[in-house]
Amino acid sequence: MFEKLLLVEQNFEDISNQLSDPDVVSNQEKFKQLMKEHKQLSPIVEKFREYKASKNSEKEAKELLSAGGLDNDFKALVEEELETSKLLCEQLSEELKILLLPTDPNDDRNVIIEIRGGAGGEEAALFANTLTRMYMMYAESKNWKTEIINANETELGGYKEISIMIIGEGAYSRFKYESGVHRVQRVPETETSGRIHTSTATVAVLPEAEEVEFEINPSDLQIDTYRAGGAGGQHVNKTESAIRITHLPTGVIVECQDERSQHKNKEKAMKVLRSRLYEAAMAKQQEEIASDRRGQVGTGDRSERIRTYNYPQGRITDHRIGLTLYKMEQVLNGDIDELVDALITHYRAEMLKAQE
């Protein structure tokens, strides 16, 4: 590990030198790429330099003690310094192991989140609305921008399906573990006997694909227009501004009717299509990694769940890591950092085990 860290530090210094070169500064594309690399390496190098300083303190303390001739008070101070340096070195070593883990190339990207009501009819659609609100409030707490791409509402204000885009650096790294089936246990408002129902909603999280890295042949697309409209005829658009794009080679269909402009709807639909095809291509190239990372949504059956939201007990359980929290209101109001951090820690630990 030490040799690898020395190479990382050397690379970091080379990049730092290049960033002060006027020729590089004038080349915006190269400068941007080097700045990105510099930012990625910076936390590793800072931690490595802390480690080296601590290792140096440990070495000096050992040398003083082995030389002898110290009075009791000073000897006690040096022994304390030695112990502190050893413990710090161990801690920094573990932190460096985590920092050296392979990073997901999509972590800094914007995301498209697709939420669908699963088993449970209208109650599942209402739960899809609850999850949408939770994610949008979480994004707001991070000062990320949110956009609704497409929404298929029900009469009672639920969503049969909804697609939202979240724009912000690192959005994918925080949302990617939300992919899967979310199960809710609660008494529906329409239930007169007070019986608890179990329903599900499925969540898929897609990294936004950049146009330059994933080109789509226009001849592979079938583009249809239609009139947009909400549940029960609400917000009916009298012009054919809604867009449906079919990618003929794969059969992937994307719709967007959120904007009143046909051009804007087409632009948003293309973003979703590009991201879906990019995700499929990534999954094909990295099947083993993708199966761990994505998991995605299964069939929406009640048994295929990653998390359960139990309203009567105010309990949320993430079944992948066995974490239970009794803070339903806070989580549904967008406070999901504790869940996300626990999942990140778990999967990092799994990666460390795999490398041993």
Side-chain angles (χ1 to χ4, degrees):
M1 184 176 79
F2 194 78
E3 287 179 6
K4 187 174 182 180
L5 285 163
L6 286 170
L7 288 172
V8 168
E9 187 177 38
Q10 181 59 55
N11 188 26
F12 178 79
E13 287 172 358
D14 289 345
I15 291 170
S16 298
N17 291 332
Q18 287 183 65
L19 287 171
S20 60
D21 184 335
D23 291 337
V24 172
V25 174
S26 62
N27 184 337
Q28 280 301 301
E29 195 61 40
K30 188 174 182 181
F31 184 76
K32 189 178 172 184
Q33 182 58 38
L34 286 171
M35 280 297 292
K36 186 178 178 183
E37 289 178 39
H38 190 272
K39 186 181 175 183
Q40 288 169 342
L41 295 177
S42 187
I44 303 173
V45 172
E46 284 175 21
K47 195 68 67 178
F48 181 45
R49 287 173 178 170
E50 277 184 59
Y51 174 82
K52 286 195 295 182
S54 185
K55 205 71 180 165
N56 196 45
S57 295
E58 183 187 338
K59 183 185 172 188
E60 287 174 357
K62 280 181 179 176
E63 287 172 352
L64 279 169
L65 289 170
S66 62
L70 305 177
D71 64 52
N72 289 339
D73 288 346
F74 187 50
K75 185 181 178 184
L77 282 172
V78 174
E79 284 173 343
E80 188 181 337
E81 174 65 25
L82 176 61
E83 192 58 32
T84 302
S85 298
K86 272 185 179 179
L87 290 171
L88 185 56
C89 279
E90 286 172 14
Q91 179 191 323
L92 292 169
S93 177
E94 290 305 308
E95 290 175 15
L96 281 165
K97 282 179 188 175
I98 290 168
L99 287 170
L100 286 173
L101 287 172
T103 56
D104 187 329
N106 295 318
D107 273 353
D108 287 338
R109 293 177 188 266
N110 302 329
V111 292
I112 292 164
I113 302 178
E114 299 178 338
I115 304 167
R116 292 179 176 83
E122 184 64 51
E123 175 63 9
L126 288 168
F127 181 49
N129 185 329
T130 300
L131 290 176
T132 302
R133 177 180 175 273
M134 178 178 82
Y135 292 142
M136 292 182 87
M137 289 184 78
Y138 180 63
E140 188 181 327
S141 74
K142 299 290 184 188
N143 294 317
W144 292 336
K145 186 181 173 186
T146 60
E147 289 180 10
I148 293 175
I149 295 170
N150 192 47
N152 185 349
E153 294 179 63
T154 63
E155 294 284 353
L156 297 180
Y159 291 120
K160 289 181 182 175
E161 59 182 345
I162 181 169
S163 299
I164 58 175
M165 174 171 276
I166 294 174
I167 301 161
E169 189 176 343
Y172 183 73
S173 71
R174 303 299 291 175
F175 278 106
K176 63 183 176 182
Y177 300 109
E178 293 302 301
S179 290
V181 176
H182 295 243
R183 182 175 70 171
V184 63
Q185 295 169 327
R186 64 184 176 187
V187 179
E189 290 177 19
T190 53
E191 173 62 57
T192 53
S193 66
R195 188 166 58 90
I196 295 170
H197 285 231
T198 299
S199 309
T200 65
T202 65
V203 176
V205 180
L206 312 173
E208 185 191 8
E210 294 176 18
E211 192 167 351
V212 291
E213 70 194 2
F214 198 87
E215 291 187 18
I216 297 171
N217 189 338
S219 64
D220 288 340
L221 302 178
Q222 177 182 311
I223 301 175
D224 301 304
T225 59
Y226 60 99
R227 290 185 185 182
Q234 299 168 30
H235 317 301
V236 173
N237 192 337
K238 293 179 181 177
T239 61
E240 294 197 341
S241 62
I243 292 285
R244 181 185 296 111
I245 301 177
T246 306
H247 185 247
L248 299 172
T250 60
V252 173
I253 299 172
V254 173
E255 295 181 349
C256 183
Q257 59 172 351
D258 187 58
E259 302 284 351
R260 295 198 177 276
S261 154
Q262 190 182 105
H263 174 74
K264 285 183 180 175
N265 279 330
K266 184 180 176 183
E267 192 178 304
K268 282 188 175 182
M270 283 300 295
K271 280 186 179 181
V272 177
L273 178 63
R274 189 173 289 110
S275 295
R276 283 197 195 170
L277 296 177
Y278 172 76
E279 178 78 348
M282 288 289 290
K284 193 174 179 182
Q285 290 169 9
Q286 305 172 355
E287 202 156 327
E288 288 181 18
I289 298 170
S291 64
D292 292 338
R293 178 175 59 78
R294 289 168 66 236
Q296 291 300 11
V297 299
T299 62
D301 183 79
R302 288 178 179 86
S303 63
E304 297 179 336
R305 82 277 190 220
I306 62 163
R307 193 178 295 151
T308 294
Y309 304 72
N310 184 298
Y311 273 67
Q313 297 177 19
R315 168 173 57 81
I316 294 176
T317 300
D318 196 291
H319 304 287
R320 293 164 294 181
I321 54 176
L323 174 66
T324 296
L325 301 175
Y326 289 89
K327 47 187 290 188
M328 177 76 74
E329 187 179 346
Q330 295 98 308
V331 168
L332 295 180
N333 283 329
D335 183 9
I336 63 172
D337 270 327
E338 189 173 349
L339 282 163
V340 174
D341 289 338
L343 286 160
I344 289 171
T345 300
H346 170 77
Y347 285 112
R348 278 178 177 169
E350 292 293 304
M351 288 175 75
L352 281 170
K353 276 186 203 170
Q355 289 191 350
E356 287 175 0

Coordinates of all heavy atoms in Angstrom, one line a residue, residues 19 52 76 79 111 114 134 171 182 186 192 196 221 228 245 262 265 270 296 316 320 327 336 346 356:
L19 N -0.9 22.3 -13.6 CA -2.0 23.2 -13.4 C -1.5 24.7 -13.4 O -2.3 25.6 -13.5 CB -2.8 22.9 -12.2 CG -3.7 21.7 -12.3 CD1 -4.3 21.3 -10.9 CD2 -4.9 21.9 -13.3
K52 N 2.4 10.0 7.2 CA 3.9 10.0 7.2 C 4.4 10.9 8.4 O 5.4 10.5 9.0 CB 4.4 10.7 5.9 CG 4.3 9.7 4.7 CD 5.1 10.2 3.5 CE 4.6 11.4 2.9 NZ 5.4 11.9 1.7
A76 N 8.2 9.6 30.4 CA 6.7 9.3 30.4 C 6.1 10.1 29.2 O 5.2 9.5 28.6 CB 6.1 9.7 31.7
E79 N 6.9 8.2 26.0 CA 6.2 7.0 25.9 C 4.7 7.2 25.5 O 4.1 6.5 24.7 CB 6.2 6.2 27.2 CG 7.5 5.5 27.4 CD 7.6 4.9 28.8 OE1 6.8 5.3 29.7 OE2 8.5 4.1 29.1
V111 N -28.5 12.5 -11.3 CA -29.2 11.2 -11.3 C -30.6 11.4 -11.8 O -31.2 12.5 -11.7 CB -29.3 10.5 -10.0 CG1 -28.0 10.0 -9.5 CG2 -30.0 11.4 -8.9
E114 N -36.5 7.0 -11.0 CA -37.8 6.6 -11.5 C -38.5 5.8 -10.4 O -38.0 4.8 -9.9 CB -37.6 5.7 -12.8 CG -36.9 6.4 -13.9 CD -36.7 5.5 -15.1 OE1 -36.6 4.3 -15.0 OE2 -36.5 6.1 -16.2
M134 N -39.9 12.6 -0.3 CA -38.7 12.4 0.6 C -37.4 12.7 -0.2 O -36.5 13.4 0.3 CB -38.7 10.9 1.0 CG -37.5 10.5 1.9 SD -37.6 8.8 2.5 CE -37.0 7.9 1.0
A171 N -24.5 13.7 -6.6 CA -25.9 13.2 -6.4 C -26.0 11.7 -6.5 O -26.6 11.0 -5.7 CB -26.9 13.9 -7.3
H182 N -39.3 -0.7 -2.1 CA -39.5 -0.1 -0.8 C -40.9 -0.6 -0.4 O -41.9 -0.4 -1.2 CB -39.4 1.4 -0.9 CG -38.1 1.9 -1.3 ND1 -37.3 2.7 -0.4 CD2 -37.3 1.7 -2.4 CE1 -36.2 3.0 -1.0 NE2 -36.1 2.4 -2.2
R186 N -49.0 0.4 6.5 CA -49.7 1.5 7.2 C -51.2 1.3 7.0 O -51.6 0.5 6.1 CB -49.3 2.9 6.7 CG -49.5 3.1 5.2 CD -49.0 4.5 4.8 NE -49.1 4.8 3.4 CZ -48.6 5.8 2.8 NH1 -47.9 6.7 3.5 NH2 -48.8 6.0 1.5
T192 N -61.6 1.8 6.3 CA -62.5 2.2 7.4 C -62.3 1.3 8.6 O -62.6 1.7 9.8 CB -64.0 2.1 6.9 OG1 -64.2 0.8 6.3 CG2 -64.3 3.1 5.9
I196 N -54.1 -2.7 8.8 CA -52.8 -2.3 8.2 C -52.7 -3.0 6.8 O -52.9 -4.2 6.7 CB -51.6 -2.7 9.1 CG1 -51.7 -1.8 10.4 CG2 -50.3 -2.4 8.4 CD1 -50.8 -2.3 11.5
L221 N -34.5 5.9 -33.6 CA -35.6 6.5 -32.7 C -36.9 6.6 -33.5 O -36.9 7.1 -34.6 CB -35.1 7.9 -32.2 CG -33.8 7.9 -31.4 CD1 -33.5 9.4 -31.0 CD2 -33.9 7.0 -30.2
A228 N -50.8 16.1 -23.5 CA -50.5 15.8 -22.1 C -51.8 16.0 -21.3 O -52.6 16.9 -21.7 CB -49.4 16.7 -21.6
I245 N -40.6 8.7 -26.9 CA -39.5 8.2 -27.8 C -39.3 6.7 -27.6 O -39.1 6.3 -26.4 CB -38.2 9.0 -27.4 CG1 -38.4 10.5 -27.6 CG2 -37.0 8.5 -28.3 CD1 -37.1 11.3 -27.2
Q262 N -42.8 21.4 -26.6 CA -42.5 20.1 -27.2 C -41.0 19.9 -27.2 O -40.5 18.8 -26.9 CB -43.1 20.0 -28.6 CG -43.0 18.6 -29.2 CD -43.5 18.6 -30.6 OE1 -42.8 18.5 -31.6 NE2 -44.8 18.6 -30.8
N265 N -39.7 19.0 -23.7 CA -40.0 17.6 -23.4 C -39.2 16.6 -24.1 O -38.7 15.6 -23.6 CB -41.5 17.4 -23.7 CG -42.5 17.9 -22.7 OD1 -42.1 17.9 -21.5 ND2 -43.6 18.3 -23.1
M270 N -34.8 12.7 -24.0 CA -33.6 12.2 -24.6 C -32.6 12.0 -23.4 O -31.8 11.0 -23.5 CB -33.0 13.1 -25.6 CG -33.7 13.1 -27.0 SD -33.5 11.4 -27.7 CE -31.8 11.3 -28.0
Q296 N -31.3 -3.0 -8.6 CA -32.5 -2.5 -9.2 C -33.8 -3.0 -8.6 O -33.9 -3.3 -7.4 CB -32.4 -2.5 -10.7 CG -31.4 -1.6 -11.3 CD -31.6 -0.1 -11.0 OE1 -32.4 0.3 -10.2 NE2 -30.8 0.7 -11.7
I316 N -38.3 2.3 10.5 CA -37.8 2.1 9.2 C -36.7 1.1 9.3 O -35.7 1.3 10.1 CB -37.3 3.4 8.5 CG1 -38.5 4.3 8.3 CG2 -36.6 3.2 7.2 CD1 -38.1 5.7 7.8
R320 N -30.9 -4.8 3.9 CA -29.6 -5.2 3.4 C -28.6 -5.1 4.5 O -27.6 -5.9 4.5 CB -29.2 -4.2 2.3 CG -30.1 -4.4 1.0 CD -29.9 -3.1 0.1 NE -30.4 -1.9 0.7 CZ -30.4 -0.7 0.1 NH1 -29.9 -0.6 -1.1 NH2 -30.9 0.3 0.7
K327 N -37.3 6.9 13.5 CA -37.4 8.3 13.2 C -38.1 8.5 11.8 O -37.6 9.2 10.9 CB -36.0 9.0 13.1 CG -35.0 8.2 12.3 CD -33.6 8.7 12.5 CE -33.4 10.0 11.8 NZ -32.0 10.5 11.8
I336 N -32.3 11.5 5.3 CA -31.9 10.1 5.0 C -30.4 9.9 5.1 O -29.9 8.8 4.8 CB -32.5 9.6 3.7 CG1 -31.9 10.4 2.5 CG2 -34.0 9.7 3.6 CD1 -32.2 9.8 1.1
H346 N -21.2 0.1 4.9 CA -21.3 -1.3 4.7 C -20.7 -1.8 3.5 O -19.9 -2.8 3.4 CB -22.8 -1.7 4.7 CG -23.1 -3.1 4.3 ND1 -22.9 -4.2 5.1 CD2 -23.5 -3.6 3.1 CE1 -23.3 -5.3 4.5 NE2 -23.6 -5.0 3.2
E356 N -9.0 -8.6 0.6 CA -8.1 -9.3 1.5 C -7.7 -10.6 0.9 O -8.4 -11.3 0.2 CB -8.8 -9.5 2.9 CG -8.9 -8.2 3.6 CD -9.7 -8.4 4.9 OE1 -10.2 -9.5 5.2 OE2 -9.9 -7.4 5.6

